[in-house]
Amino acid sequence: MGVSAKTVSRVLNEDGPASAETREQVLAAVAKLGFQPNLMARNIRVGGPDTTIGLVVPDLANPFFGAVARGIEDTVRDRGLTLLMGSSADDPERERALTAQFLARRVSILIVVPSVGADHSDLKSHRTAGLPIVFLDRPGVGLSTDSIVSSNRAGAQEGVAHLIAHGHRRIGFVGDLPTKLYTRRERLAGYREALRTADIAHDRSLVASAHDQQGAEAVTAQLLELPDPPTALFAGNNIMALGIVAELARSKRKDVAVVAFDDVSLAEALEPALTVVAQDPEAIGRSAAATALARLDGDRTRARTITVPTRLIVRGSGEQPAPKP
C-alpha cells in the first residue's frame, strides 16, 4: 500500500492528519482485508469508555431475560452501543466477578439483576464518577441508583383475586427459591393480600417452593396429596408454571385451576390454555436502557424506581370453577 503503520493508525483512529488520497487508500485496503479495529484497546489507550453495555442476569437460558436484553438492544442500537451479557447464576461472588470484568473494560453503562445476598456498595465510586448503573427486576443493596421492576405485588394480587372470583378458597402458591428473593417475596405478599381481602385464612401448608421445573412438579404433586388439597394453584414464575402444568398433565388432573405469574411459550397451545399475569420484559429492558442513556447524557436527578405494570391475560386455566361443596 506504500504507507506506514503510523499513518494507517492515524486514519483508523482519526487522531492525526492524513490526505484525502491517503485516507482513501487506507480505507480501501481495510475493506479488502476485512480488518476490524479493536475498539476496546483504542478506548483504553485514549482513556475513554468502551462502546458497550454490560448486562448481568441470573440465567441466560430464561426467556424472560432474553426479552429484556432485546428491549435494551432495540433502545441503544442507534447510539452505537453494543450489549454484552453474562450470567451470575444468582451467585453474589460470581456477580461481583462479572461486574468487575465489565468495569475493567470501561463499559459505558452497567445494568445488573442483583443476586440474593449481594452487596453493591463497592459500585459507589463508579456511580459517583458518572457511570450509569441500573438495577433491573430487583433492587440492589448498598447502592442508591435507578431500579426498574415489575408490579410484582399488585400483579400477583390480581391473579389470585381472579381465582377467588371463580369460587376458589383453597389456593396453593408455588414459588421459586431462595425465599428471600425480592420477586418471590413481593408475589407472595400479593397472594396473601388477595386472600386477606377476601377474608380467606392464610394456610402455610399451601405454600411450596422449588428451584426448577422438576422441583415444581414434585411440590405440586405433594400439594395435591394433602388431606384438604388446593383447588387452584398460583405459579410464582414461568418455570414454576411449567412444572405445575407438567404434573397436572401427568396426573390427568383437569379440575385444578391455574394462574401463572409470567407468560410462557406456547401458553395458548396448552389444554386448557394458560391464564397468566404477564410481565412486559421488553418494556423493562427499554426503560432500563432509556434511564441509563439519560444518565449518560447528564441527568443528575435523584435515583428513582420505575415500576412497569403487569396485565392479566385470561385464556382458560384460571377460569376453571371451584368444585361445589
Side-chain angles (χ1 to χ4, degrees), residues 24 46 51 76 79 124 127 203 217 219 269 273 312:
E24 187 176 337
V46 301
T51 56
V76 304
R79 295 288 292 267
K124 284 181 180 178
R127 170 84 163 82
D203 185 343
E217 292 177 30
V219 297
L312 180 69

Side-chain angles (χ1 to χ4, degrees), residues 17-72:
S19 69
E21 183 181 354
T22 299
R23 179 178 175 79
E24 187 176 337
Q25 266 189 301
V26 170
L27 294 179
V30 164
K32 183 178 180 180
L33 295 171
F35 172 76
Q36 293 292 328
N38 187 332
L39 294 178
M40 179 183 172
R42 176 185 181 276
N43 287 325
I44 290 174
R45 185 174 66 254
V46 301
D50 194 7
T51 56
T52 56
I53 294 177
L55 172 61
V56 180
V57 300
D59 182 6
L60 291 172
N62 190 324
F64 174 84
F65 294 113
V68 166
R70 187 161 55 247
I72 294 172

Side-chain angles (χ1 to χ4, degrees), residues 238-262:
N238 52 359
I239 305 301
M240 300 301 103
L242 292 174
I244 290 172
V245 169
E247 176 56 30
L248 291 178
R250 186 197 66 78
S251 58
K252 296 181 170 59
R253 293 291 301 272
K254 295 186 177 181
D255 58 328
V256 179
V258 180
V259 172
F261 198 106
D262 277 348

Side-chain angles (χ1 to χ4, degrees), residues 213-227:
Q213 180 179 331
Q214 290 70 34
E217 292 177 30
V219 297
T220 298
Q222 293 169 12
L223 288 171
L224 297 178
E225 290 169 1
L226 289 172

Side-chain angles (χ1 to χ4, degrees), residues 263-276:
D263 210 348
V264 301
S265 298
L266 301 177
E268 295 181 346
L270 299 173
E271 182 56 46
L274 188 63
T275 294
V276 301

